[in-house]
Amino acid sequence: TSPQLHLRGVIDTAFLTELDSKIADRELRDAVFQLSNNITAEMCKRLKPIFTKPHLVKLMAGCEKLLTLRKNKRKCERTKATQVGVISGISKVQSRLRENIKGLEKISASASSALMSRYLKDLNEQEDAHKRAQLLIDQVEEEEFNLKAMIASVNSEVRVMCDDAMKKLAQGH
């Protein structure tokens, strides 16, 4: 290794420093290249301590912003899936209530009056819950649409920063 060569007098201190600097720059270029191909939370956590140059700090901030946006988008997707499940459950309950109401039509009015009121009340409550779930889905879809646009924008910015970082690192900055 280079420190051993230095200790043996094969290379001088200036050359050792320059060699170590070139190795560090190469490692940074490799890290930026890896980051440009696959931005993950684990990779950002691993690279953040070595990204100390200003343009690399800015790149890391962009990557972290992108990860936060992706996380928020996944949260929207989960919320939407949950509400779709709620609506599915409501539809089944409403179907059952409608069948019960049809069944009551065959029974005398006096005997079915209390049950009919109860079924209609339950049907109204289910309809209100359906509307709330649909409203939440609509809101989440709008948020998800905005997040997709922001993700595309930040992703583009990060790609530009990666290219810029690669150029600066190749120039020794």
Side-chain angles (χ1 to χ4, degrees), residues 9 16 36 38 49-50 58 73 79 85 103 112 129 148 155 163-164 170:
L16 175 65
S36 70
N38 185 24
I50 64 170
K58 184 178 176 184
K73 182 177 171 282
T79 300
S112 65
K148 285 179 183 178
N155 197 42
D163 291 345
D164 181 52

Side-chain angles (χ1 to χ4, degrees), residues 58-93:
K58 184 178 176 184
L59 171 59
M60 185 56 61
C63 291
E64 289 171 338
K65 181 177 181 180
L66 183 60
L67 290 171
T68 299
L69 290 170
R70 287 178 183 170
K71 180 181 174 183
N72 291 342
K73 182 177 171 282
R74 286 190 303 274
K75 181 181 175 188
C76 284
E77 291 166 350
R78 286 190 306 273
T79 300
K80 184 176 162 183
T82 299
Q83 294 308 307
V84 166
V86 166
I87 288 175
S88 176
I90 289 170
S91 296
K92 290 175 185 173
V93 170

Side-chain angles (χ1 to χ4, degrees), residues 147-160:
L147 284 167
K148 285 179 183 178
M150 287 189 288
I151 286 169
S153 175
V154 172
N155 197 42
S156 178
E157 292 171 13
V158 167
R159 296 284 174 234
V160 169

Side-chain angles (χ1 to χ4, degrees), residues 51-170:
F51 277 23
T52 57
K53 296 180 179 184
H55 61 282
L56 296 177
V57 170
K58 184 178 176 184
L59 171 59
M60 185 56 61
C63 291
E64 289 171 338
K65 181 177 181 180
L66 183 60
L67 290 171
T68 299
L69 290 170
R70 287 178 183 170
K71 180 181 174 183
N72 291 342
K73 182 177 171 282
R74 286 190 303 274
K75 181 181 175 188
C76 284
E77 291 166 350
R78 286 190 306 273
T79 300
K80 184 176 162 183
T82 299
Q83 294 308 307
V84 166
V86 166
I87 288 175
S88 176
I90 289 170
S91 296
K92 290 175 185 173
V93 170
Q94 285 179 333
S95 177
R96 182 184 52 80
L97 287 169
R98 285 188 184 95
E99 286 177 26
N100 290 346
I101 290 170
K102 282 182 185 178
L104 287 178
E105 291 171 354
K106 299 173 187 173
I107 301 174
S108 69
S110 61
S112 65
S113 170
L115 277 175
M116 181 65 82
S117 293
R118 182 175 148 213
Y119 289 158
L120 290 174
K121 180 181 174 241
D122 289 349
L123 199 57
N124 283 336
E125 289 173 359
Q126 292 296 313
E127 191 58 34
D128 291 344
H130 185 280
K131 286 179 185 177
R132 285 190 302 271
Q134 188 58 54
L135 179 62
L136 185 54
I137 287 173
D138 293 344
Q139 292 169 345
V140 167
E141 284 178 341
E142 184 176 337
E143 184 179 351
E144 189 176 13
F145 177 81
N146 291 333
L147 284 167
K148 285 179 183 178
M150 287 189 288
I151 286 169
S153 175
V154 172
N155 197 42
S156 178
E157 292 171 13
V158 167
R159 296 284 174 234
V160 169
M161 286 188 275
C162 282
D163 291 345
D164 181 52
M166 291 296 280
K167 288 175 188 171
K168 287 181 178 180
L169 290 168

